[in-house]
Amino acid sequence: MSQPARRDVLKSLALGGGLTLIVGPVAHALAPRPPGQPADPATRWALLVDTRACKVDCAACVDACNREMGLKQPTDPDFDPAHDAQYIRKVTLRDPDTGHTTAPPVMCQHCAKPPCVDVCPTGASMQRADHIVQVDKHLCIGCRYCMMACPYKARSFVHQDLTDQKPHNPRGKGCVESCNLCVHRIDRGEPPACVAACQRDGGGAMVFGDLADPNSDLNRRLAEAGGHRIRADLGLDTGVYYQGL
Amino acid sequence: MPHAVPYRPLNGHARGFWLVLGLLGLAIAGGLGAAHLMHHEGHIITGMTNQVVWGLPHVFAVFLIVAASGALNVASIGAVFERPLYKPLARLSALLAMALLIGGLSVLVLDLGRPDRLTVAMTHYNFKSIFAWNIFLYTGFLVLVGAYLWAMIDRAGARVYKPAAYGAFVWRLVLTTGTGAIFGFLVARQAYDAAILAPLFIAMSLVYGKAIFVLFLMAVCRASGRPLGGVVLRRLQRLMGIVLGAMLYFVAVHHLTNLYASEHHGIEAFLLRDGGPLTTLFWGGHVLLGGLVPLYLLLAPRLGGNRRALSAAAVLLILGGLTQVYGLIIGGQSAPLVLFPGFEVSSAFADGVVASYVPSPWEVLLGLAGVAIGLVVAVVGCAALPILPADLSDAAIDPDHVADTLDEQDGALAGTT
């Protein structure tokens, strides 16, 4: 394949710059949300995980999530895998035919049509205008029907009293909780803790962005290489895409 | 119009009455203590985990709620299907239906993570949730059956007798459909996600409800020295046998249709072959002791009218019913959820492994308290209201004593229910 001529490259850059000027600044780029301003319904926050860049033994995203949200680390001596909350986990997948192994992170998939929201009797399980799915801890009665309904095992139940909670993630015994995409960070204009950690300490496998923004890096990558969604057959229109599965 | 039969309440001054209430009170106190402890310490003291989120309390609650709608069936046969033989039993049928529902709902509420937020559940509704719909279905059932009971007891209520009877009959079908839909709507769980769960739950309700009704009737008649003739028992025996056959049919269809589809082979292999104690409970508890044995006891011609066979069948059906609901609720959660079909999976959150569950004593106490609450409502109701006929002997409830003719009608009668 021949190298592109310098003139062609310059032409492309000029065209790209011109298009950017025409479109204007990225409509829903990550920026702080001023207090009192409601979440933007035109935004669809989403994640992309490139499993080819996600090392099987790397848990940077899990560690960062646990630190950010005030959860116990699996390495803690008093960690109880049956009862302690896990908002994000690495799931090791092995193809029995080929032996190929990957370990993508799995968390709340922030469905556009979330079953947890459908089944919740009180409306505690709710979807923010920008499609982030979370639990209103004031309305949760602890019936756990959302946990039964979630196809991704993304939810945890608080089984006992907790101490040392993070102010941005108040947790209550008897309530259900899950990944909320670090909504407090997003509102500050920062990416979720798992994504930041993956970019900083991991393989750079996780990308966060606005699915509704055609110019987002996330959309560009999806347009180039496509993406797979877990249990897409359920038609839940999840907001977490995977590449390389 | 209500059937003209003399009614005699239970003797509220009898020592046995207070002994029974005392024992039931102890069971309720034990359950309330367990619920208080669960609320104080959290669900960490139960056998429930993040994998098995509904445990033994849900088994008791679902069993009692399903049985409640079935217990009403005797009244419905009398009023809706115009079978006069059952009309003297209609009041007890309605009372038991309300009592069992109250018992089941009590367990459900006390097992919430935040039972103190019951007011939230009553003031915030998500109308897309079948759970929220069930709150209306349960309260509506209590109101309708209460009106039906009042219309049977008080002449002033005679005008609403038919509408309440028909309304309660339709409502109970919808209610049990709603309870089945709680599981049927769980599209992601391989053990559920089936429309057949709705009719299966209706068949289950007929079996459990009738079993409890027959046992309660026999026990209360014996304890209060009330004659109980063989005609009505014989009829109930055959009816129970037929609805049990219908329920086993739905169970078979549920599993056989799953076995037809490759995607469900995993869950069926787990439930029917590889599930260890759950598989043993299915074949030994639900199918054999809770299904085939009572089917024989109820339908074998030489056991027709045999009271021991009837009461033994009723006990087996109650235990088999609890086993069935246990297998449905615990088995459905223990089986690994399939997120990545075709892959071998593992994680720190129990992906790809069978979740274990051992009920704690607190859960047992809470579940039994639900049964006790239902029985207290039923026993006190029988003492405070004219619920129980004074005489249920064949001559009293079947003046023409045409037992043979009635027996011939059994098939047609059961077919209509």
Side-chain angles (χ1 to χ4, degrees):
Chain A
M1 196 191 291
S2 63
Q3 291 291 322
R6 186 184 293 172
R7 183 183 296 173
D8 291 338
V9 172
L10 289 173
K11 205 188 289 179
S12 303
L13 284 172
L15 187 64
L19 276 176
T20 306
L21 284 174
I22 293 166
V23 173
V26 174
H28 310 113
L30 199 52
R33 185 164 64 90
Q37 181 181 310
D40 183 1
T43 305
R44 172 86 197 271
W45 295 122
L47 291 173
L48 169 63
V49 181
D50 184 349
T51 61
R52 293 159 300 195
C54 180
K55 298 186 196 81
V56 171
D57 56 354
C58 175
C61 55
V62 177
D63 294 345
C65 173
N66 292 337
R67 269 197 308 275
E68 180 73 24
M69 304 307 258
L71 312 181
K72 280 186 198 163
Q73 297 284 6
T75 49
D76 288 348
D78 59 342
F79 181 76
D80 176 356
H83 297 105
D84 283 332
Q86 297 188 50
Y87 294 178
I88 181 171
R89 64 193 190 273
K90 293 277 293 218
V91 179
T92 305
L93 307 178
R94 182 180 173 278
D95 187 329
D97 297 328
T98 63
H100 179 65
T101 301
T102 52
V106 175
M107 71 298 284
C108 172
Q109 303 289 296
H110 296 279
C111 313
K113 302 170 194 166
C116 58
V117 173
D118 289 346
V119 302
C120 177
T122 64
S125 194
M126 48 85 77
Q127 192 175 40
R128 224 170 73 148
D130 50 6
H131 299 86
I132 293 173
V133 175
Q134 57 181 346
V135 179
D136 182 338
K137 309 283 176 61
H138 296 289
L139 291 182
C140 179
I141 58 172
C143 73
R144 286 104 72 201
Y145 196 21
C146 59
M147 298 177 77
M148 292 289 282
C150 177
Y152 306 103
K153 293 208 305 179
R155 297 212 151 176
S156 297
F157 181 70
V158 181
H159 287 83
Q160 56 192 321
D161 282 320
L162 301 168
T163 52
D164 298 330
Q165 298 187 36
K166 299 286 184 185
H168 52 256
N169 186 35
R171 310 170 62 202
K173 180 181 68 184
C175 291
V176 174
E177 55 186 22
S178 62
C179 156
N180 60 5
L181 274 183
C182 287
V183 74
H184 59 287
R185 288 173 60 99
I186 293 175
D187 288 347
R188 289 201 307 252
E190 300 167 21
C194 57
V195 177
C198 182
Q199 295 290 342
R200 188 181 60 240
D201 308 323
M206 298 178 80
V207 179
F208 172 72
D210 181 4
L211 203 59
D213 175 6
N215 299 311
S216 66
D217 185 34
L218 183 136
N219 257 331
R220 186 182 54 75
R221 288 179 181 229
L222 283 172
E224 279 173 9
H228 172 87
R229 294 194 279 188
I230 307 176
R231 292 300 311 268
D233 58 308
L234 295 174
L236 304 175
D237 190 6
T238 54
V240 182
Y241 284 81
Y242 293 83
Q243 288 177 335
L245 277 183
Chain B
M1 286 294 292
H3 199 61
V5 167
Y7 289 87
R8 178 165 58 88
L10 284 180
N11 180 5
H13 301 291
R15 186 186 290 180
F17 176 79
W18 286 103
L19 186 66
V20 168
L21 277 192
L23 289 173
L24 294 173
L26 275 179
I28 294 171
L32 290 178
H36 175 71
L37 205 61
M38 283 164 64
H39 187 52
H40 188 261
E41 300 290 330
H43 276 57
I44 190 81
I45 64 166
T46 72
M48 289 175 255
T49 63
N50 278 325
Q51 310 303 326
V52 178
V53 302
W54 285 353
L56 197 64
H58 270 78
V59 173
F60 274 96
V62 170
F63 175 83
L64 289 169
I65 290 168
V66 167
S69 57
L72 186 69
N73 202 240
V74 171
S76 297
I77 298 171
V80 177
F81 297 103
E82 298 285 355
R83 300 290 165 175
L85 185 74
Y86 292 90
K87 287 194 175 179
L89 300 172
R91 297 180 184 186
L92 177 62
S93 170
L95 175 69
L96 265 182
M98 295 173 74
L100 292 171
L101 186 64
I102 290 167
L105 290 179
S106 303
V107 180
L108 208 57
V109 167
L110 291 171
D111 183 51
L112 289 175
R114 296 295 305 263
D116 54 312
R117 288 186 178 168
L118 193 59
T119 48
V120 174
M122 291 191 278
T123 51
H124 292 75
Y125 291 106
N126 166 25
F127 287 101
K128 200 173 178 187
S129 167
I130 188 68
F131 244 26
W133 275 90
N134 275 328
I135 293 172
F136 287 102
L137 289 173
Y138 297 150
T139 48
F141 184 80
L142 290 175
V143 169
L144 263 175
V145 179
Y148 180 29
L149 190 58
W150 169 66
M152 285 189 278
I153 292 174
D154 191 342
R155 283 187 181 277
R159 271 189 309 134
V160 300
Y161 173 70
K162 275 288 175 190
Y166 275 84
F169 173 67
V170 173
W171 200 273
R172 65 127 307 195
L173 291 176
V174 177
L175 183 144
T176 323
T177 303
T179 311
I182 287 175
F183 298 93
F185 285 178
L186 292 174
V187 294
R189 297 259 175 190
Q190 283 75 28
Y192 310 131
D193 183 28
I196 200 170
L197 287 179
L200 171 61
F201 267 60
I202 291 175
M204 284 156 62
S205 80
L206 295 173
V207 175
Y208 308 164
K210 278 202 178 56
I212 293 173
F213 178 88
V214 164
L215 266 191
F216 188 88
L217 178 70
M218 291 173 82
V220 83
C221 283
R222 186 170 185 167
S224 62
R226 238 164 270 254
L228 178 59
V231 171
V232 71
L233 285 181
R234 198 185 178 98
R235 187 72 71 83
L236 283 169
Q237 186 178 13
R238 287 193 61 184
L239 206 51
M240 278 168 67
I242 289 162
V243 293
L244 173 60
M247 187 197 78
L248 292 173
Y249 169 77
F250 280 119
V251 170
V253 170
H254 183 206
H255 289 291
L256 287 172
T257 48
N258 269 355
L259 285 169
Y260 190 80
S262 300
E263 63 171 316
H264 293 130
H265 285 178
I267 184 69
E268 287 302 325
F270 173 73
L271 294 174
L272 305 182
R273 192 187 64 202
D274 307 327
L278 286 164
T279 300
T280 307
L281 277 179
F282 175 81
W283 290 111
H286 169 34
V287 174
L288 183 64
L289 291 177
L292 299 178
V293 172
L295 196 66
Y296 174 76
L297 293 173
L298 295 170
L299 293 182
R302 68 185 189 86
L303 293 177
N306 183 318
R307 292 179 188 227
R308 281 191 178 175
L310 177 59
S311 53
V315 169
L316 285 173
L317 287 176
I318 290 168
L319 295 176
L322 283 166
T323 307
Q324 182 179 16
V325 178
Y326 187 94
L328 191 84
I329 293 179
I330 308 300
Q333 297 175 87
S334 299
L337 203 57
V338 179
L339 273 71
F340 300 94
F343 285 97
E344 293 169 359
V345 297
S346 61
S347 79
F349 202 56
D351 285 276
V353 298
V354 174
S356 67
Y357 169 74
V358 180
S360 67
W362 315 115
E363 293 167 84
V364 178
L365 284 174
L366 179 55
L368 290 176
V371 177
I373 289 170
L375 287 176
V376 163
V377 173
V379 170
V380 171
C382 286
L385 298 168
I387 298 289
L388 291 168
D391 185 356
L392 281 167
S393 63
D394 293 343
I397 62 166
D398 181 18
D400 301 326
H401 208 43
V402 285
D404 292 340
T405 314
L406 288 171
D407 275 353
E408 283 171 16
Q409 293 173 355
D410 272 355
L413 172 67
T416 58
T417 58

